[in-house]
Amino acid sequence: MVLQVNDVMKRFNTNLALDCCSLHVEQGEVIGLLGPNGAGKTTCIRAIIGLIGIDEGSITVFGMPQDGKNKSIRRKIGYVTQEITLYEDMSGRDNLAFFASLYGMGKADIQVRMAEVGRLIGLEGRLGDKVKHYSGGMKRRLNIGCALMHKPALIIMDEPTVGIDPQSRSFILQAVKELAKSGVTIIYTSHYIEEVEAVASRIYIMDNGHIIADGTLRELIARIRGDHFIEVEVRLASEQKRKELLGLADVKEVALEGNRYTIVVPGGIPILDKVVLSLSEQGLVTINTKQPNLEDVFLTLTGKQLRDEVAS
Amino acid sequence: MILFHIRRSLKDLMGHAILILFPLILIFFFDYLYKTIDIQTGMEVEGQQRLALLVIGFALTFQIYGAALSFETLAADFYSPMHDRLFASPVEGRSLVLSVLISGTVVSFLQSLVIVLFSFIVLGASIPSLFVVLVILLVSVLFNQLLGTVLLFLVGTSKAANVVTTIYGSVVPMLVGLYFPLPDSALFRVIRLYGTPMSLANTASIRAMEGDYGSMALVMLPIAVIIVLLFVSLKPLVRRIEV
């Protein structure tokens, strides 16, 4: 087993950042860690790497207890930070070489590996340029590349695609898939459900510092198979109406994103007419019923829609 | 790592230009002033020795501001998201800090060297025992870099550390008598010669230029002791920023 996190508690003053957080990762898995901002994903990752201590519970990485001082654990982890952490005045090549040198790589090895990583992140022709002249997407890719130089056995990516264009995002997802094929273990945190759906072999859903569900995408969706999802778009939605809908008998959850309500109801309950009646005063635009996806799993389990959380 | 940080530091051309050109302008200005107007210098010396002391005085002064460049670098690494990337590596926190500190010392010493050599070649400053004076400047650079680092880790922000450094860098040269004569009393004489680390380095340089190496070594002893103390205090401070 690559990683075992057991009932970890972490407090920052009175704020409980990790609440009995438990997860395990096997060799070669791509784990998607999904949760809204403030769910505790980054805290969990920082605890796994040993950047912060924990108050209770235990973390074992590659069979070794994580006490924050174990250098062999750190040598095996590649950490892609959520923020872009690069030296902007230096070239891409300088950055890759510097971060590789921190892991004890020699000059010759760095040169060889730089060519491989440059290809993987699609920057082979631009590594000589200063990072400050890169686009946001290129910086993101280099940010990932710096964590790959020392060939880590476990790569932890904390929201690696925040704030970039769809093209770069797709490039990064492709790179993650390639890494996964090579047998590297990856923990991929994101609040973009479609990304986690695309890359993860197993998913952990986190909310309020706690793992609330885990399993493969199919397993998670199976948990809510009995539920129906109704999407109604209106001209002018309101929070008050959302609460009103939630008050209807048999409605399990209601999420509001822009002018679109997503309503979760148990299967087999004829409720569409009540919903239509309730929302008709807001000007109906479209009505859809749909198969559940990961977003619906998240909504059913947390009562929140991930994108709303991100926006807030 | 050290080489990387030296190269990284050298990218700040504006900062280095200021730290080299500004003292040279001041040396030229004060030398001209003392030559043309009949006023007493703050350091009670005349002629060639006056120019030499202006060169050393301003080199020492701008080493203080050079330390600010280093702690800006440290702050950019350790009080930013870069902290996590660096501390996620297997390198010890102390090594990470020392690599920045050593590169800062090298770059700041190079600045002092350029100032001294330019004054020597272009302004015709005569500095006896030049090599020993350069060693004193190197020790002073190390002291200033360490002081800046400890200050940054104590106050926790580069902004606050900058304010303290600016005040320190403004007051200390005055107490050496670099800008104007101090009151003629025993107290001010002691302050001018031994009152601050810059005074000690300045006085040690004078002793070296006079060939009095014994006194020079005695005067440098307190700086050496402070350097050791600063090094020792660095360990718990680095531990504090590690997590």
Side-chain angles (χ1 to χ4, degrees):
Chain A
M1 191 175 293
V2 171
L3 172 69
Q4 178 80 52
V5 177
N6 282 330
D7 298 328
V8 167
M9 309 279 278
K10 174 68 186 173
R11 284 178 200 84
F12 293 111
N13 299 321
T14 53
N15 178 32
L16 192 58
L18 292 177
D19 179 12
C20 270
C21 179
S22 295
L23 55 95
H24 70 276
V25 181
E26 300 288 345
Q27 172 70 40
E29 279 192 305
V30 179
I31 295 295
L33 187 56
L34 190 65
N37 285 350
K41 303 188 298 289
T42 301
T43 304
C44 182
I45 282 172
R46 296 184 83 224
I48 290 168
I49 296 168
L51 290 169
I52 51 167
I54 54 173
D55 298 326
E56 283 173 51
S58 66
I59 298 174
T60 310
V61 192
F62 298 107
M64 295 172 273
Q66 178 57 281
D67 58 2
K69 292 172 191 159
N70 197 323
K71 287 184 190 169
S72 354
I73 292 179
R74 292 189 179 198
R75 267 193 205 100
K76 290 181 174 182
I77 296 177
Y79 179 33
V80 180
T81 50
Q82 187 174 353
E83 309 267 349
I84 292 171
T85 45
L86 299 167
Y87 294 108
E88 297 255 334
D89 285 326
M90 306 300 280
S91 70
R93 190 170 285 125
D94 290 333
N95 275 276
L96 289 174
F98 173 70
F99 289 112
S101 73
L102 295 183
Y103 291 82
M105 283 178 78
K107 274 186 183 172
D109 290 339
I110 289 174
Q111 288 310 314
V112 174
R113 183 65 180 151
M114 202 180 285
E116 293 168 4
V117 170
R119 256 194 312 277
L120 182 72
I121 58 175
L123 289 177
E124 63 266 60
R126 298 290 305 273
L127 287 179
D129 297 352
K130 281 184 182 176
V131 174
K132 66 180 173 192
H133 297 137
Y134 283 11
S135 69
M138 289 165 75
K139 286 179 187 174
R140 278 276 165 207
R141 283 186 265 156
L142 185 63
N143 202 40
I144 293 172
C146 289
L148 304 179
M149 282 296 287
H150 61 290
K151 291 189 180 173
L154 170 63
I155 301 167
I156 300 180
M157 297 181 161
D158 191 3
E159 310 256 9
T161 60
V162 170
I164 58 169
D165 56 285
Q167 209 178 352
S168 288
R169 171 169 297 155
S170 141
F171 195 96
I172 287 172
L173 292 179
Q174 195 53 44
V176 173
K177 284 176 189 169
E178 271 183 50
L179 286 166
K181 262 188 221 162
S182 70
V184 181
T185 309
I186 301 171
I187 298 177
Y188 190 98
T189 87
S190 181
H191 54 248
Y192 295 115
I193 284 178
E194 58 277 15
E195 284 184 12
V196 173
E197 275 180 338
V199 299
S201 54
R202 206 152 55 81
I203 298 162
Y204 282 92
I205 297 179
M206 197 168 186
D207 196 27
N208 294 323
H210 190 70
I211 300 289
I212 54 173
D214 72 283
T216 61
L217 181 60
R218 196 176 288 178
E219 285 166 355
L220 287 170
I221 290 173
R223 287 175 68 155
I224 57 164
R225 188 163 283 159
D227 294 335
H228 281 186
F229 293 79
I230 305 166
E231 275 186 354
V232 184
E233 192 179 347
V234 295
R235 284 190 211 290
L236 194 64
S238 67
E239 178 59 25
Q240 193 189 343
K241 183 59 80 177
R242 189 189 77 81
K243 286 178 182 159
E244 210 176 286
L245 286 169
L246 204 52
L248 289 176
D250 297 320
V251 169
K252 287 171 81 171
E253 281 298 343
V254 181
L256 177 59
E257 184 189 7
N259 280 330
R260 186 166 46 212
Y261 297 97
T262 304
I263 302 147
V264 186
V265 294
I269 305 285
I271 196 170
L272 192 57
D273 54 342
K274 284 185 203 166
V275 170
V276 170
L277 193 65
S278 173
L279 290 176
S280 58
E281 66 197 53
Q282 292 194 327
L284 293 171
V285 178
T286 57
I287 302 171
N288 286 312
T289 56
K290 58 167 195 163
Q291 290 296 311
N293 58 18
L294 191 54
E295 179 124 30
D296 301 318
V297 174
F298 190 83
L299 170 65
T300 310
L301 293 172
T302 65
K304 299 170 190 167
Q305 203 159 41
L306 204 52
R307 263 185 276 256
D308 288 345
E309 289 296 310
V310 174
S312 68
Chain B
M1 264 201 294
I2 294 168
L3 202 61
F4 175 83
H5 287 301
I6 290 176
R7 287 180 54 223
R8 182 182 162 202
S9 168
L10 292 176
K11 301 276 176 186
D12 181 11
L13 291 176
M14 184 60 85
H16 297 300
I18 289 170
L19 289 174
I20 291 171
L21 290 177
F22 206 51
L24 285 175
I25 292 167
L26 286 170
I27 290 164
F28 186 79
F29 170 75
F30 275 94
D31 186 47
Y32 178 78
L33 198 71
Y34 291 139
K35 270 183 194 162
T36 50
I37 305 169
D38 187 23
I39 53 169
Q40 208 191 347
T41 71
M43 290 175 287
E44 295 172 2
V45 284
E46 297 297 329
Q48 268 301 320
Q49 205 186 0
R50 182 187 62 207
L51 179 58
L53 283 186
L54 278 175
V55 171
I56 291 163
F58 280 111
L60 289 170
T61 302
F62 280 82
Q63 286 176 0
I64 298 170
Y65 298 113
L69 272 190
S70 294
F71 66 61
E72 289 286 357
T73 305
L74 285 166
D77 280 1
F78 302 124
Y79 295 106
S80 76
M82 184 62 87
H83 170 280
D84 278 9
R85 170 151 255 165
L86 293 171
F87 283 99
S89 78
V91 179
E92 290 280 349
R94 215 161 13 139
S95 305
L96 292 169
V97 172
L98 283 179
S99 64
V100 177
L101 194 66
I102 292 168
S103 62
T105 303
V106 170
V107 171
S108 184
F109 178 67
L110 286 176
Q111 286 164 353
S112 295
L113 192 64
V114 169
I115 292 166
V116 170
L117 290 182
F118 185 87
S119 306
F120 184 70
I121 296 163
V122 179
L123 300 178
S126 164
I127 303 173
S129 307
L130 181 61
F131 180 75
V132 183
V133 170
L134 287 176
V135 172
I136 293 169
L137 288 177
L138 178 61
V139 174
S140 170
V141 167
L142 183 60
F143 164 79
N144 283 305
Q145 294 283 322
L146 268 168
L147 185 69
T149 305
V150 169
L151 179 68
L152 172 74
F153 290 159
L154 278 175
V155 297
T157 65
S158 64
K159 204 176 168 185
N162 253 321
V163 171
V164 177
T165 303
T166 305
I167 295 168
Y168 176 76
S170 306
V171 172
V172 162
M174 290 180 202
L175 296 177
V176 178
L178 189 62
Y179 302 135
F180 48 80
L182 295 171
D184 189 15
S185 70
L187 174 68
F188 275 100
R189 190 179 150 74
V190 170
I191 290 173
R192 180 165 61 80
L193 293 176
Y194 313 107
T196 65
M198 182 179 162
S199 312
L200 291 169
N202 201 52
T203 305
S205 301
I206 296 170
R207 299 288 175 265
M209 287 192 291
E210 289 167 352
D212 186 356
Y213 297 122
S215 297
M216 179 211 75
L218 267 178
V219 173
M220 284 304 282
L221 191 65
I223 295 186
V225 171
I226 300 171
I227 286 175
V228 171
L229 291 175
L230 288 171
F231 252 120
V232 172
S233 67
L234 208 53
K235 195 176 176 181
L237 289 171
V238 171
R239 208 175 296 138
R240 217 168 61 171
I241 60 158
E242 273 179 332
V243 283

